[in-house]
Amino acid sequence: GRSIRAAPSIPLLPPAHVLPIAMTFENGMLLCLLVSMPVQLLSFVHHHNHLSMLTSEHSLGSSVSLALERQIIKEKEVDSRARHKMAYFGKVSVGSPPQEFSVVYDTGSGNLIIPGATCLDEACKSHKQYDMEKSKSAKRVNCDGSAAGEGGEADLLTITFGTGKITGQCIADEVCLGSACSTGNFLASTEESDQPFSAFTFDGVLGLALPKMAQGDAFSMMSLLKSGKALMNPVFSVFLSDSDDEVSEVTFGAVKKEHMASDMFWVDVTGTVGYWEVNIADITIDGKPQNLCKDCRVAVDTGTSQLAGPSSLIRQMTSLVGLQKDCSNIKKMPQLGFVIGDRILNLDPKDYIDQFSGECSVAFMELDIPHRPAHSSC
């Protein structure tokens, strides 16, 4: 069949510091809540009145929490320095009877992607593989969501990532997040490049970006759960911790207040292409504005492990914090802040510094996005 190409955000791995996030799906204007560090909470609502997410429209559903496993992945940079990323992944069940997979819950991509049984690449064979023949509720669909042709013929989808690509079949089947279930479309891979997928402990990715980033509404898991009223509220929340004393988890249908460190506040979500995107007014060092990033747009992405931005900006930030490679000044490092709304959200040095074997590096990543008129990107 024909191949459709797409280019979602690179599914890197979530940040290593404590990070709860809550996001909601409603009609109307997008709003966002955040609380100050050390624990950071973001909640996004598609509605003029944020209290609407607690109305009786969704009261028949429930909420479900899924524990997330944590894994530290060590990488090598071009200059041979070690870099460590923290991966958080949980379970999803697909098919009837259910086949269970481990996935990264990724707010920077829009589709569910898991290895298919027909894939013979090592990146697939080293993970659990979805077998369509074993599910009585499965059927092939075209990757625009339309019905397959006579004989079940359907097209393929190729998704290109930063360091690899996946090609696969689009399938409709039952998908369950704990007890919250819906029939939805997803990609079962038929080909996977060795890099980066062979190195992953988890099997796939479950995209939780806005529906615009999915292949269609039938591919957007939260849209499906919302329309089917499977959840108490059209919201999901993510709590990521670097401590073994706390359980990292993703919750669908509710926000757990016990993970909040302070009160929430609201700002507009401004993205137009499917990212959970907000504006930041500037970047601060120990609370002082640096005139680095005026009216920049930033994507809140649980699938990215570092602070990513344009090369020029990242180099300026690296110079301003002034970290020595030998860690000799680590106790004097400043707070790094982001001005959102009328608040500064500060990261402590431990939140943006990677320290291992006596060497230190900042968790910044140069990422140059093609120019978009009228706005800067960071």
Side-chain angles (χ1 to χ4, degrees), residues 201-317:
T201 302
F202 50 89
D203 302 312
V205 176
L206 195 153
L208 291 173
L210 293 169
K212 284 186 179 180
M213 193 169 286
Q215 284 298 116
D217 286 347
F219 288 82
S220 171
M221 192 63 201
M222 276 301 298
S223 292
L224 293 167
L225 293 175
K226 175 180 177 290
S227 62
K229 295 182 172 57
L231 301 177
M232 183 186 307
N233 297 301
V235 58
F236 68 92
S237 55
V238 185
F239 178 69
L240 308 177
S241 176
D242 62 355
S243 170
D244 291 330
D245 297 328
E246 299 174 297
V247 176
S248 297
E249 62 182 359
V250 57
T251 299
F252 292 90
V255 177
K256 290 194 170 181
K257 293 185 177 180
E258 57 264 37
H259 292 319
M260 295 170 53
S262 60
D263 293 335
M264 296 183 288
F265 68 95
W266 297 79
V267 297
D268 290 341
V269 170
T270 57
T272 59
V273 296
Y275 288 107
W276 293 102
E277 188 177 302
V278 299
N279 282 352
I280 62 173
D282 201 1
I283 295 171
T284 65
I285 299 292
D286 280 336
K288 297 177 182 178
Q290 300 298 308
N291 295 315
L292 287 180
C293 196
K294 293 296 183 182
D295 192 31
C296 288
R297 301 190 298 184
V298 297
V300 182
D301 184 359
T302 58
T304 300
S305 60
Q306 297 160 321
L307 296 171
S311 300
S312 57
L313 177 61
I314 293 298
R315 289 166 189 163
Q316 285 179 288
M317 290 170 57

Side-chain angles (χ1 to χ4, degrees), residues 44-125:
F44 298 80
V45 184
H46 289 61
H47 204 282
H48 292 283
N49 181 357
H50 64 274
L51 295 178
S52 66
M53 69 179 178
L54 301 178
T55 63
S56 59
E57 177 186 354
H58 301 280
S59 61
L60 296 179
S62 61
S63 65
V64 58
S65 293
L66 304 173
L68 300 178
E69 296 182 48
R70 181 167 57 96
Q71 178 195 18
I72 298 175
I73 296 178
K74 180 178 177 180
E75 290 188 344
K76 285 286 185 181
E77 291 191 86
V78 252
D79 59 4
S80 297
R81 285 182 300 159
R83 173 165 287 176
H84 300 82
K85 296 179 179 180
M86 198 81 78
Y88 298 83
F89 46 92
K91 301 297 185 182
V92 61
S93 296
V94 183
S96 306
Q99 302 172 46
E100 190 175 72
F101 302 90
S102 60
V103 293
V104 168
Y105 291 93
D106 180 19
T107 61
S109 62
N111 304 299
L112 170 60
I113 304 173
I114 52 177
T118 62
C119 179
L120 302 179
D121 294 327
E122 186 58 35
C124 293
K125 292 165 64 177

Side-chain angles (χ1 to χ4, degrees), residues 145-172:
S146 62
E150 293 183 11
E153 291 296 323
D155 56 15
L156 300 175
L157 175 69
T158 295
I159 298 182
T160 302
F161 299 95
T163 55
K165 68 177 183 178
I166 287 177
T167 296
Q169 302 174 336
C170 293
I171 297 172

